Amino acid sequence: MDFLSYPLPDILKKYIYQGFFKKAREQIDKILEHRLPPQMRERLKFELFRMELLKRTYRYAQEEAFKIFKKTFKNATKAEFEQLWKEGRLDWIYIETQRFFESRFDKNLAFNEKEYKARQRVDKQTLKRRELINKAVERLLKSGKPKSYRVRARITVEKENPREEKVRVWLPFPKEEFQQSDVKLISASHECEIADNSVGQRTVYMEGKDNEKFYVEFEYTVHEWIGQQSLYTQKPSKEDISELPPHIVFSPFLKELLHTIFHNEDWTTLDDLARARRIYDFVTLNVNYSYVLPYALYDNIPEYVATTFKGDCGFQALLFITLCRMAGIPAKWQSGWSITPLVASPHDWALVYLERYGWVPVDLSFGGARREQEPMRIFYFTNIDGFRMFANTEFQGDFHPEKKAWRLDPYDNQIGEMEIISKEEDGYVIDLKSEIEVVKFEELTMGKRK
């Protein structure tokens, strides 16, 4: 993805920004007629993919968006809705002169403004899930005795608009390391191939028709993780301290930000625990959680977070990982799902290597969401609850076998990927929907733990 550093012609940027996608596609076709560096050709082709992603992400016309707004917020009016979008407080863009709203514009309004947070209609399951997690953290803060759980889960993906074409499919599959063990495949919809545990992003690979449903069901054991117990002391690799363009980049702006975080002190005089904590405090106390567009639509995620002070779990984790590496602290990615007995959803967090403890977990968004509950905010610095499944320990890792077409998410894999075999590089699938089911979630007694 290094090609994202290549510049786009101003006229092309103007067309895309204004939502004239047809003109942008025509402009790209004209530019591709010239002799260009291979990376520049990739960048231009990627813009075609990005425009398709934008159209899928900004899916609601104005009338439909108002219906969603009215359903989400108590006492909502049309005049209020119109005033909000005119003031730029709702996320929308023009696509071919028509106004379209981002698929989660209402939820982001509640994240960013207290008034709308108070007026939001929240489902009971969300409240129960948060209560369940908080009770587990309170127990760990009190006793410090971690528990283990045996979990069975299933993920299903399907194409929304099938054409009976042959496709390849990659679904996330749990890794066996750190806090996760005893992984077992229970069943799959098709004949499948499980990637080796050594890869950075572990998957189950299948082939079939795009009018079929693809699923995999698995079990794993997960352990609550108290970092001070020094459980994982394997040495970090060179990659855990290095840049990884286009996102993990030690840019001049982020270097200045790092100096600001340390108040222009010589941070090299602090031990790695103090350095990591200073960075954790900056992110969790200043960045507000917000849903984001598909990751493929951003050129530099850490800089986006550091300039807007908002972002989802992965965005916050990437800023933290980048700043830690810049401060000499090995840091890596861990992602998959946040999964409780009630529900599961995609989630990302980080690991850092500290000389005193080895590898420890850091969950930026879970910590930041609890900034009004200081002990809980601090808990997620070097500790993590057991409501997790991770399939990825590498950001921007390759699939095995390799995917030829653009990935729906070029950097991570939590909800699966699909490509059309006959179209090769142009065979990317955007209209993919997925469902994660929690089949079983049980606490293990000491005798059952492995």
Side-chain angles (χ1 to χ4, degrees):
M1 304 298 290
D2 290 6
F3 58 77
L4 284 178
S5 63
Y6 278 60
L8 290 176
D10 286 342
I11 185 65
L12 181 56
K13 288 192 289 186
K14 181 179 178 181
Y15 285 151
I16 295 173
Y17 180 76
Q18 294 179 337
F20 295 126
F21 291 169
K22 183 179 178 181
K23 288 184 177 180
R25 284 191 289 270
E26 292 172 352
Q27 187 69 29
I28 289 173
D29 288 341
K30 287 180 182 179
I31 298 170
L32 287 172
E33 292 175 0
H34 296 272
R35 293 182 64 184
L36 298 167
Q39 290 284 73
M40 187 62 183
R41 300 186 76 84
E42 287 294 290
R43 175 69 199 260
L44 291 169
K45 290 179 180 179
F46 194 61
E47 290 307 309
L48 295 172
F49 170 68
R50 276 177 154 180
M51 284 187 280
E52 294 300 314
L53 271 183
L54 277 169
K55 286 193 294 184
R56 180 170 173 80
T57 303
Y58 288 86
R59 63 175 69 182
Y60 298 125
Q62 188 164 321
E63 285 303 314
E64 191 175 4
F66 172 63
K67 291 177 183 177
I68 294 169
F69 178 78
K70 192 172 181 180
K71 184 179 180 181
T72 303
F73 300 108
K74 300 172 185 175
N75 305 316
T77 67
K78 194 159 191 176
E80 175 187 24
F81 173 74
E82 291 179 352
Q83 187 66 26
L84 284 168
W85 71 252
K86 287 176 181 178
E87 293 176 356
R89 292 158 68 188
L90 301 181
D91 189 3
W92 63 272
I93 62 172
Y94 281 119
I95 300 179
E96 308 299 352
T97 73
Q98 290 191 345
R99 187 179 294 109
F100 287 88
F101 290 76
E102 196 269 338
S103 59
R104 296 177 289 190
F105 75 92
D106 54 325
K107 296 177 178 62
N108 275 344
L109 179 65
F111 281 136
N112 293 319
E113 301 197 19
K114 290 182 179 180
E115 174 194 347
Y116 288 95
K117 182 73 173 176
R119 290 171 55 187
Q120 184 182 25
R121 293 185 175 94
V122 182
D123 64 279
K124 292 181 180 179
Q125 190 177 63
T126 299
L127 296 175
K128 287 181 179 179
R129 172 182 171 272
R130 186 179 180 90
E131 182 181 5
L132 181 67
I133 294 171
N134 284 351
K135 283 185 176 179
V137 175
E138 288 170 354
R139 170 180 52 77
L140 286 165
L141 286 170
K142 185 176 181 180
S143 70
K145 296 178 180 178
K147 293 182 177 181
S148 298
Y149 304 96
R150 187 66 181 169
V151 183
R152 179 180 293 188
R154 171 191 291 223
I155 179 168
T156 304
V157 299
E158 60 183 312
K159 196 174 187 295
E160 290 182 356
N161 303 292
R163 297 180 180 179
E164 295 195 21
E165 297 178 292
K166 290 185 178 180
V167 293
R168 299 184 182 97
V169 173
W170 293 258
L171 296 177
F173 192 76
K175 296 197 69 173
E176 284 192 296
E177 56 183 320
F178 295 111
Q179 74 272 38
Q180 209 159 260
S181 62
D182 196 22
V183 175
K184 180 181 179 182
L185 174 68
I186 301 300
S187 63
S189 59
H190 297 66
E191 183 177 343
C192 65
E193 175 185 341
I194 301 174
D196 189 78
N197 191 63
S198 63
V199 304
Q201 296 191 2
R202 199 177 191 196
T203 60
V204 170
Y205 173 77
M206 308 175 187
E207 294 184 6
K209 289 285 192 72
D210 70 354
N211 59 348
E212 300 169 339
K213 287 187 177 182
F214 295 81
Y215 77 82
V216 61
E217 186 172 317
F218 50 73
E219 283 188 352
Y220 64 95
T221 297
V222 63
H223 314 277
E224 294 173 333
W225 185 354
I226 303 300
Q228 291 184 358
Q229 293 178 347
S230 305
L231 298 175
Y232 310 106
T233 56
Q234 58 267 41
K235 294 296 182 181
S237 67
K238 182 181 178 181
E239 287 73 21
D240 298 324
I241 204 70
S242 302
E243 294 181 272
L244 181 64
H247 296 292
I248 303 178
V249 177
F250 305 164
S251 68
F253 167 66
L254 291 180
K255 288 178 182 177
E256 287 300 314
L257 177 63
L258 194 63
H259 286 302
T260 301
I261 291 171
F262 288 96
H263 307 290
N264 291 315
E265 301 171 20
D266 181 3
W267 49 260
T268 62
T269 62
L270 302 174
D271 66 18
D272 53 7
L273 178 64
R275 274 178 273 154
R277 173 62 188 276
R278 189 79 66 90
I279 297 168
Y280 176 80
D281 287 348
F282 171 80
V283 176
T284 56
L285 295 176
N286 290 282
V287 178
N288 292 322
Y289 188 91
S290 176
Y291 290 124
V292 296
L293 306 179
Y295 281 30
L297 294 171
Y298 296 86
D299 289 348
N300 187 303
I301 289 171
E303 288 194 344
Y304 171 86
V305 182
T307 52
T308 63
F309 294 99
K310 62 182 181 180
D312 73 352
C313 52
F315 273 44
Q316 295 183 40
L318 275 176
L319 176 59
F320 177 77
I321 288 168
T322 303
L323 292 174
C324 280
R325 291 185 182 185
M326 292 172 67
I329 304 166
K332 66 167 62 187
W333 183 260
Q334 208 178 63
S335 75
W337 305 336
S338 169
I339 175 169
T340 71
L342 302 173
V343 69
S345 59
H347 188 50
D348 316 314
W349 57 99
L351 304 181
V352 292
Y353 181 85
L354 304 175
E355 290 292 339
R356 195 183 311 177
Y357 303 118
W359 288 103
V360 296
V362 181
D363 192 315
L364 286 302
S365 65
F366 270 46
R370 291 159 176 80
R371 65 179 64 154
E372 304 301 326
Q373 302 160 292
E374 184 66 358
M376 289 191 182
R377 183 184 76 85
I378 301 304
F379 171 84
Y380 283 105
F381 177 71
T382 73
N383 310 294
I384 207 164
D385 57 65
F387 303 121
R388 309 280 159 155
M389 186 286 292
F390 74 90
N392 312 296
T393 52
E394 182 182 349
F395 185 75
Q396 202 173 313
D398 293 328
F399 283 170
H400 299 270
E402 184 181 3
K403 192 172 189 287
K404 296 180 180 180
W406 299 120
R407 284 167 52 173
L408 195 57
D409 185 340
Y411 310 112
D412 200 24
N413 181 43
Q414 300 162 317
I415 60 171
E417 294 275 351
M418 179 184 291
E419 72 178 12
I420 300 167
I421 293 175
S422 63
K423 295 183 179 180
E424 295 192 350
E425 291 185 358
D426 293 325
Y428 55 81
V429 172
I430 289 178
D431 61 329
L432 192 67
K433 62 178 180 180
S434 64
E435 179 185 9
I436 303 171
E437 302 170 78
V438 185
V439 180
K440 181 179 68 174
F441 200 111
E442 63 178 8
E443 181 182 338
L444 297 181
T445 61
M446 291 298 294
K448 290 185 180 180
R449 292 184 188 179
K450 298 190 177 184

